[in-house]
């Protein structure tokens, strides 16, 4: 099965480099390139790629807003965010917007290829270390978000949910709960289904927003929503 990919980055050298890397894979097809968020959104809706490799900082419309918008129109598309964790204050917003994973800008070629494959397969690219760092740096104070949804979970599913949100892998959860890794995968699948979530990435967001797990309050950062983030730039030539 061929994975159809859209690459979005405002730096031509970076964009074309990623496109060339991915196009060289026998099971990948790069169907388009976008130089800003508006173009990424438009092309994703038009081309319906399996995966969008999305830069988070772009002119006209950033990658987070583009992710919000395109996933409303193409819910089967997966978005893999490119970021520098030390600088990007919108990473948590990208998680909330529906991004399925994150790659550091200095990732190796192999990591980029593997990351696209992971996301295309329907999994979330959230290694435990990345999850912990993301939460520590970008999770703002949680806001109550449909707590009634959590009552549908069994006690064991709730335990697993908390551990997923804290960044543990399936193997680590299995060891903590003294169960098999297959059992953990079953619990994760069931809790995602009950909560109407597409993957572990969204599970992390819901766990923190519902208050089931609390981020470090002293590291809270303000977040911008798509409504408050600028939609356009006079220099871009796009309609808002």
């Amino acid at each position: 099965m061929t994975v159809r990919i859209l690459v979005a980055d405002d730096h031509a050298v970076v964009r074309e480099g990623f496109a060339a890397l991915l196009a060289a894979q026998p099971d990948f097809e790069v169907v388009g390139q976008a130089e800003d968020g508006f173009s990424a959104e438009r092309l994703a809706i038009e081309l319906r790629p399996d995966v969008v490799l999305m830069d988070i900082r772009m002119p006209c419309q950033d990658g987070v807003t583009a992710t919000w918008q395109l996933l409303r129109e193409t819910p089967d598309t997966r978005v893999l965010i490119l970021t520098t964790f030390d600088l990007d204050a919108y990473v948590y917003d990208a998680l909330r917007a529906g991004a399925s994973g994150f790659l550091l800008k200095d990732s190796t070629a192999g990591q980029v290829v593997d990351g696209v494959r992971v996301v295309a397969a329907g999994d979330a690219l959230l290694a435990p270390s990345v999850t912990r760092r993301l939460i520590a740096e970008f999770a703002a104070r949680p806001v109550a978000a449909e707590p009634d949804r959590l009552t549908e979970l069994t006690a064991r599913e709730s335990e697993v949910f908390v551990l997923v949100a804290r960044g543990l892998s399936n193997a680590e959860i299995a060891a903590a709960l003294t169960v098999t890794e297959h059992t953990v995968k079953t619990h994760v699948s069931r809790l995602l289904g009950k909560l109407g979530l597409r993957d572990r990435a969204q599970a992390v967001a819901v766990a923190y927003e519902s208050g089931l797990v609390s981020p470090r309050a002293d590291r809270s950062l303000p977040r911008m929503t798509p409504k408050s983030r600028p939609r356009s730039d006079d220099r871009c030539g796009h309609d808002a």
Side-chain angles (χ1 to χ4, degrees):
M1 178 180 174
T2 299
V3 179
R4 303 174 70 253
I5 305 164
L6 171 66
V7 179
D9 195 296
D10 61 317
H11 293 96
V13 172
V14 175
R15 183 177 67 249
E16 292 169 6
F18 279 126
L21 168 67
L22 298 173
Q25 305 304 309
D27 54 337
F28 288 174
E29 178 187 3
V30 176
V31 296
Q33 297 183 39
E35 62 184 11
D36 59 56
F38 276 117
S39 297
E41 177 188 335
R42 176 180 57 79
L43 288 173
I45 294 171
E46 175 186 338
L47 300 173
R48 305 278 167 160
D50 299 305
V51 176
V52 178
L53 188 61
M54 181 85 76
D55 187 15
I56 203 168
R57 293 190 174 193
M58 293 185 288
C60 306
Q61 178 170 277
D62 61 78
V64 175
T65 305
T67 297
W68 276 101
Q69 299 296 334
L70 74 87
L71 289 180
R72 292 170 59 187
E73 300 292 333
T74 61
D76 292 333
T77 295
R78 299 279 170 164
V79 176
L80 183 54
I81 294 288
L82 289 168
T83 180
T84 54
F85 278 88
D86 291 332
L87 299 175
D88 293 325
Y90 299 148
V91 172
Y92 191 65
D93 279 334
L95 184 66
R96 296 173 66 245
S100 292
F102 303 89
L103 277 176
L104 296 177
K105 276 290 188 76
D106 60 357
S107 296
T108 65
Q111 289 171 332
V112 173
V113 171
D114 289 344
V116 171
R117 288 205 174 99
V118 167
V119 170
D123 294 323
L125 188 65
L126 284 175
S129 60
V130 173
T131 303
R132 295 183 187 114
R133 186 174 180 185
L134 183 153
I135 290 167
E137 295 296 333
F138 301 108
R141 194 179 302 273
V143 178
E146 303 179 71
D148 290 345
R149 299 166 65 192
L150 302 182
T151 63
E152 300 178 20
L153 302 181
T154 65
R156 179 61 90 184
E157 287 167 351
S158 294
E159 284 183 290
V160 172
F161 193 17
V162 169
L163 296 178
V164 166
R166 287 177 175 164
L168 273 67
S169 67
N170 286 344
E172 290 172 326
I173 294 173
L177 300 180
T178 319
V179 297
T180 67
E181 194 168 343
H182 176 74
T183 297
V184 173
K185 291 179 180 178
T186 299
H187 285 313
V188 171
S189 178
R190 287 177 178 169
L191 72 87
L192 292 178
K194 287 181 178 181
L195 298 178
L197 304 174
R198 54 192 278 162
D199 53 34
R200 294 169 79 103
Q202 285 194 333
V204 171
V206 169
Y208 278 82
E209 292 184 329
S210 67
L212 182 66
V213 180
S214 297
R216 289 175 3 198
D218 62 337
R219 296 304 298 270
S220 293
L221 291 174
R223 298 200 308 264
M224 296 179 71
T225 65
K227 291 183 178 180
S228 62
R229 191 181 285 114
R231 283 275 304 173
S232 62
D233 188 301
D234 291 339
R235 298 169 295 174
C236 297
H238 296 283
D239 294 329

